[in-house]
Amino acid sequence: MNELFLNNYVIVYLFSETVLFLMALYAFFKDIVILKYWDFESFSARQLKLEKQGYLLSTIATFIFALKFILLIYFVYMIDSLSIIIPGAMCGAGVISANSYGMPLLFIKLTTIFTFLLFLTLNNLDLKAKNYPLLKLKSWVLLAALLLIFLESFFDLSYLFNIDLSVPVSCCSALFGNLEGANPLPFGLNIKNLLILYYTLYIASVLAILLENRFLTAFTLILFAIISYYAVVYFFGTYIYQLPTHKCPFCMMQKEYYYVGYLVWGSLFIGLFFGLIWVIIGFLKYKNKTAKQIAIASISLFVVLCSSYVLFYYLKNGVFL
Amino acid sequence: MKNNSFFYFLTLNLLKEKRRYAGIVIISSLLIFLLSSVLFISSSIKQTLNYTLKAQPDFIVQNIKGGKVAPINSNMVNKILNIYGVEKVTKRVYGRYFFDDKYSTLIVGVDFLDEQSNKNLETLINSTDLKQFLSKEQMIIGQGVKNYLKTHYYNLEYNFLTPDGQMKNIKIFKTLSSKSAIISNDETIMPLKSAQKVLGLKENKITDIALNVPNDSEWQTVKAKLQSLNFNIRVISKKDMQKAYESLFNYKGGLFLVLFLIVIATFSLLLYLRYTLAASLERKEIAILRAVGWSIKDVLKLKFLENIFLVIFAFILGSSLAYIFVFVLNAPLLKNIFLGGSNLTNFAKFTPVVDYGVLSTIFIIFTVAFLSSVLIPVWKIAVTEPKEAL
């Protein structure tokens, strides 16, 4: 028995994921029935039953979404605390790359949360109207979200069962540091161009949302998220750690840095998710002012937070790193 | 949601139906209380051990013969001193001395005139009047040892029986403070020479060698160099010890948690049945709400907020009771599971620690179980047609 499975966090995490998996399985079958037999024009008993089951599905989806959101934070926290047990790891970066399932798992988790958020927005719009105009669409979205949960469960188990405690993993400086002078940035960028791109894309995304240009918003937001990842790891992160050689997306979630990583990554992803949701429901001819406002506020918070670390470092020390 | 009358109705409803929810709240808080007491104890001990571990030397070098730890030659110290980057290389002599077949003390031999790799010992030596202490053969003892000796009428001295069949009389100099009682409780600290005699070691033999390496990026290199000194050397680093402690307490807490999952599963089943039964009672109430214009969504919201409120209330109640039980009352009954040994127990107090990781663990495990088992029954109540129910 791997001693990993006696870690309190791992036990609770697996338990919660299992419960959610069972709920998702239940919802999955109900959802298929709805997709197959839904007929709003019909007055049959089955249709009435299905309408009621729609409520059950949206309740289960809300429940799963809320817990998935908490569990994502818990998962990151768990990964971080496992770094004591796993040889060589000093933060979550080493643990998550202990095998090839880790990074995809994290990505699937984010996608699942996004899909559920999309479902909940559609569900809200659907219930406001009298005749369930979005039912088929939202059921398909829910189906996708539930399938993602099944995929996630598979990756969860594969990831945790394949962590070998006898093999040392790399620490973040080995994973993200400048190795042999090779440039880790995409498109052959250097730090200066990366920052120019970062701020330009930020302004472009906000303008695109304000001008209600949906294609442009989707394009700039996704590009902004990708560039932000590199900007935080290779530039802003070094100011958070106050060390020019420390390049890591995970260490900032530790106590030493006041858990600021959760806020940094959280604000970026919330901004991205709400921006994309606004784009998608816009194509369905719905308006949602709140999603728009949250998206702008959240990415602005992200940019201000990152920049203020640089600014305060400069004000305190009079030099840049 | 926006209007306060909704919340007013919610709280009014909860207060009015106090008796209906009392049972659930009591059982829930009891379960949370049990789980959080155990996890609080485990995290408190872990914290204390980590605190003590910080003061420990970075490396310990042992001599292994046939898979067992054997005495090491004291001239090995000079070889280790030749390695760059090491400091405070200390000879250590220690072992267990059994008063009878049940009670024992940990004898720690210290060269009081040398520098110490253990920070606790360093502060102890700095606060001791060495001239007076070394004037005759004396020892410093832990609280537990003191209590044992007192009940056996050894108030000022003790006669140790050495393995070569002789008596060794050593006077008691003073008692260790009980601040880090888990470790120092059964310790007896005495000069190296006396300890060698009590434990039956030859003059040039010691138990092991401790050393510090201030630059922790040098640890790997120093470890490899130590290892290459002799083929039968075992090197234990502080990180290994921390890992061992971690896994020991994870094991105890984890085993309990796994068993607790079964309890939680049973509890969920009970909740499910209870809510399904209650459905028939609450139908009328819900039907009235539906008849005055509430939608299914509103009813679901009401019912869920009710249950979330119950969960949070039970969580706060259960975990604060556990906090009082563990850190104020010092966990009677339960603490023996973790502290185990009946050897010279004089355990002072658990250090209060509020570990957010542990708290969120308890919250998540309980919320998931509770809400998922009431979800379907609550939905069944909410979709009741008013016409059918009334």
Side-chain angles (χ1 to χ4, degrees):
Chain A
M1 175 87 173
N2 197 331
E3 74 174 282
L4 205 67
F5 292 98
L6 281 174
N7 182 293
N8 294 351
Y9 300 124
V10 176
I11 295 172
V12 171
Y13 174 73
L14 280 180
F15 169 76
S16 315
E17 291 282 309
T18 315
V19 172
L20 290 187
F21 174 79
L22 292 176
M23 299 236 81
L25 201 65
Y26 180 81
F28 182 73
F29 290 118
K30 296 274 173 195
D31 195 37
I32 287 182
V33 173
I34 287 192
L35 274 171
K36 196 164 177 211
Y37 296 110
W38 181 267
D39 177 15
F40 187 64
E41 306 298 320
S42 161
F43 288 99
S44 66
R46 178 193 266 156
Q47 173 62 20
L48 280 175
K49 211 176 136 197
L50 288 184
E51 279 174 29
K52 281 180 184 170
Q53 272 176 1
Y55 283 100
L56 178 62
L57 284 186
S58 56
T59 317
I60 290 180
T62 319
F63 178 67
I64 294 180
F65 167 74
L67 280 174
K68 278 280 165 197
F69 183 72
I70 298 172
L71 277 177
L72 176 68
I73 300 171
Y74 193 74
F75 177 74
V76 176
Y77 187 80
M78 171 185 103
I79 289 294
D80 211 57
S81 73
L82 284 183
S83 57
I84 302 175
I85 306 177
I86 293 174
M90 295 172 89
C91 69
V95 182
I96 199 92
S97 51
N99 58 43
S100 53
Y101 296 106
M103 271 329 232
L105 175 63
L106 208 56
F107 189 73
I108 293 170
K109 276 181 182 300
L110 287 170
T111 324
T112 313
I113 285 183
F114 172 71
T115 322
F116 269 103
L117 205 60
L118 182 63
F119 168 78
L120 290 179
T121 322
L122 292 177
N123 184 48
N124 230 345
L125 294 171
D126 192 43
L127 290 185
K128 264 183 202 153
K130 296 259 176 331
N131 54 349
Y132 301 106
L134 293 170
L135 195 119
K136 281 267 161 170
L137 180 69
K138 80 173 185 189
S139 300
W140 281 112
V141 171
L142 183 62
L143 203 67
L146 294 171
L147 286 174
L148 274 170
I149 288 207
F150 300 152
L151 188 67
E152 191 192 317
S153 306
F154 168 73
F155 269 83
D156 261 336
L157 293 179
S158 317
Y159 171 64
L160 286 172
F161 276 98
N162 285 316
I163 293 180
D164 190 347
L165 290 184
S166 57
V167 181
V169 300
S170 311
C171 84
C172 52
S173 59
L175 289 167
F176 296 97
N178 271 330
L179 294 170
E180 291 155 12
N183 188 0
L185 299 176
F187 320 125
L189 288 165
N190 57 18
I191 290 292
K192 191 180 152 203
N193 289 340
L194 180 77
L195 287 179
I196 294 173
L197 203 57
Y198 173 81
Y199 285 106
T200 322
L201 280 172
Y202 164 66
I203 294 167
S205 322
V206 173
L207 279 179
I209 296 175
L210 286 177
L211 294 172
E212 310 226 336
N213 188 333
R214 291 172 201 278
F215 279 112
L216 196 63
T217 308
F219 178 71
T220 49
L221 259 183
I222 290 172
L223 208 57
F224 174 68
I226 296 170
I227 291 297
S228 296
Y229 167 76
Y230 287 101
V232 170
V233 173
Y234 292 100
F235 179 75
F236 293 112
T238 57
Y239 283 87
I240 294 175
Y241 307 128
Q242 310 206 330
L243 191 70
T245 51
H246 195 166
K247 288 163 185 164
C248 179
F250 282 92
C251 287
M252 57 180 82
M253 302 192 191
Q254 288 178 340
K255 197 183 165 191
E256 288 83 350
Y257 310 104
Y258 309 105
Y259 305 107
V260 74
Y262 291 102
L263 188 61
V264 170
W265 295 118
S267 57
L268 174 63
F269 284 118
I270 288 172
L272 175 70
F273 286 177
F274 276 96
L276 291 181
I277 280 175
W278 174 76
V279 170
I280 292 172
I281 60 171
F283 284 127
L284 302 168
K285 306 275 177 280
Y286 283 95
K287 285 208 168 157
N288 193 333
K289 226 176 148 191
T290 336
K292 194 168 140 182
Q293 283 162 347
I294 292 176
I296 292 178
S298 193
I299 58 169
S300 304
L301 173 70
F302 170 70
V303 171
V304 170
L305 184 67
C306 289
S307 313
S308 61
Y309 264 97
V310 182
L311 188 70
F312 281 114
Y313 185 86
Y314 184 74
L315 290 180
K316 258 187 201 162
N317 302 297
V319 281
F320 288 112
L321 275 176
Chain B
M1 183 69 103
K2 274 167 198 142
N3 49 349
N4 284 327
S5 54
F6 181 81
F7 283 99
Y8 181 62
F9 183 75
L10 174 71
T11 42
L12 212 62
N13 205 20
L14 277 171
L15 283 176
K16 203 189 116 219
E17 304 285 346
K18 258 181 284 186
R19 208 172 289 161
R20 191 193 285 169
Y21 301 113
I24 296 176
V25 169
I26 289 172
I27 297 177
S28 309
S29 352
L30 249 168
L31 286 176
I32 291 174
F33 168 74
L34 192 64
L35 179 62
S36 17
S37 315
V38 170
L39 293 183
F40 281 171
I41 291 175
S42 121
S43 67
S44 170
I45 296 180
K46 229 189 265 178
Q47 172 102 347
T48 317
L49 284 176
N50 271 333
Y51 176 76
T52 346
L53 206 59
K54 259 187 200 153
Q56 294 291 314
D58 297 338
F59 284 102
I60 290 165
V61 179
Q62 292 175 334
N63 185 21
I64 301 292
K65 252 184 203 167
K68 284 182 177 170
V69 182
I72 190 167
N73 271 330
S74 55
N75 59 11
M76 186 64 96
V77 170
N78 299 329
K79 282 189 193 168
I80 292 175
L81 276 170
N82 283 335
I83 298 173
Y84 287 113
V86 304
E87 63 165 38
K88 297 191 176 171
V89 183
T90 319
K91 299 175 195 170
R92 301 203 312 177
V93 171
Y94 66 87
R96 287 222 157 257
Y97 178 85
F98 281 82
F99 295 121
D100 49 40
D101 40 354
K102 200 173 168 200
Y103 296 111
S104 65
T105 174
L106 180 70
I107 306 271
V108 181
V110 177
D111 193 342
F112 281 86
L113 299 175
D114 214 348
E115 52 180 3
Q116 298 301 323
S117 52
N118 183 316
K119 286 171 198 111
N120 285 346
L121 276 178
E122 208 171 357
T123 42
L124 175 73
I125 289 171
N126 289 340
S127 64
T128 313
D129 183 2
L130 282 183
K131 205 171 165 189
Q132 209 187 343
F133 179 68
L134 294 174
S135 62
K136 48 193 167 197
E137 287 208 288
Q138 299 194 97
M139 59 185 174
I140 300 168
I141 55 177
Q143 272 298 335
V145 183
K146 186 190 170 186
N147 294 347
Y148 178 84
L149 293 182
K150 213 170 190 175
T151 51
H152 292 76
Y153 306 104
Y154 287 103
N155 284 326
L156 299 169
E157 53 180 15
Y158 185 74
N159 293 320
F160 287 95
L161 284 167
T162 65
D164 25 302
Q166 285 167 338
M167 285 270 206
K168 179 85 196 152
N169 178 289
I170 299 180
K171 307 247 176 320
I172 298 170
F173 182 67
K174 68 173 182 183
T175 312
L176 287 169
S177 76
S178 56
K179 200 183 167 196
S180 58
I182 301 184
I183 299 296
S184 60
N185 193 32
D186 65 345
E187 264 180 25
T188 303
I189 298 167
M190 57 175 77
L192 206 69
K193 288 250 156 63
S194 316
Q196 274 172 332
K197 273 177 205 149
V198 170
L199 298 171
L201 285 170
K202 287 197 184 105
E203 204 148 307
N204 63 339
K205 293 279 187 183
I206 49 178
T207 320
D208 55 27
I209 298 167
L211 58 124
N212 279 357
V213 178
N215 182 357
D216 48 356
S217 40
E218 286 285 327
W219 280 19
Q220 285 299 329
T221 325
V222 171
K223 192 176 176 179
K225 280 186 179 171
L226 286 170
Q227 214 107 47
S228 62
L229 282 177
N230 201 341
F231 63 90
N232 57 351
I233 266 182
R234 180 200 277 166
V235 183
I236 301 169
S237 74
K238 195 148 80 172
K239 212 179 168 200
D240 294 337
M241 278 161 63
Q242 194 186 6
K243 231 172 108 173
Y245 279 146
E246 186 82 13
S247 64
L248 175 69
F249 285 100
N250 268 338
Y251 178 72
K252 284 186 173 180
L255 209 60
F256 184 85
L257 206 58
V258 171
L259 292 177
F260 189 79
L261 286 184
I262 300 168
V263 179
I264 279 277
T266 323
F267 176 66
S268 308
L269 198 68
L270 278 177
L271 267 183
Y272 180 82
L273 287 177
R274 193 212 164 278
Y275 271 72
T276 318
L277 283 177
S280 52
L281 296 171
E282 278 180 56
R283 275 174 80 172
K284 215 164 207 171
E285 200 177 300
I286 300 302
I288 293 169
L289 287 176
R290 291 284 304 280
V292 297
W294 284 43
S295 69
I296 294 180
K297 211 179 155 193
D298 294 328
V299 178
L300 274 174
K301 204 192 287 166
L302 176 78
K303 287 280 134 195
F304 264 96
L305 282 175
E306 232 172 66
N307 284 305
I308 288 170
F309 184 81
L310 288 185
V311 169
I312 291 174
F313 184 72
F315 175 71
I316 293 173
L317 189 68
S319 52
S320 30
L321 278 179
Y323 189 90
I324 295 170
F325 177 72
V326 174
F327 298 123
V328 179
L329 301 178
N330 225 2
L333 301 176
L334 257 187
K335 74 174 168 198
N336 293 329
I337 299 177
F338 278 91
L339 294 172
S342 52
N343 181 36
L344 302 181
T345 38
N346 178 43
F347 171 63
K349 233 173 176 29
F350 286 110
T351 333
V353 191
V354 179
D355 186 341
Y356 295 109
V358 166
L359 279 180
S360 56
T361 298
I362 299 163
F363 187 71
I364 286 178
I365 195 172
F366 196 72
T367 321
V368 169
F370 193 105
L371 291 183
S372 56
S373 53
V374 304
L375 204 137
I376 291 170
V378 159
W379 164 75
K380 270 189 189 141
I381 301 171
V383 293
T384 321
E385 287 298 325
K387 207 166 62 185
E388 286 169 30
L390 285 174

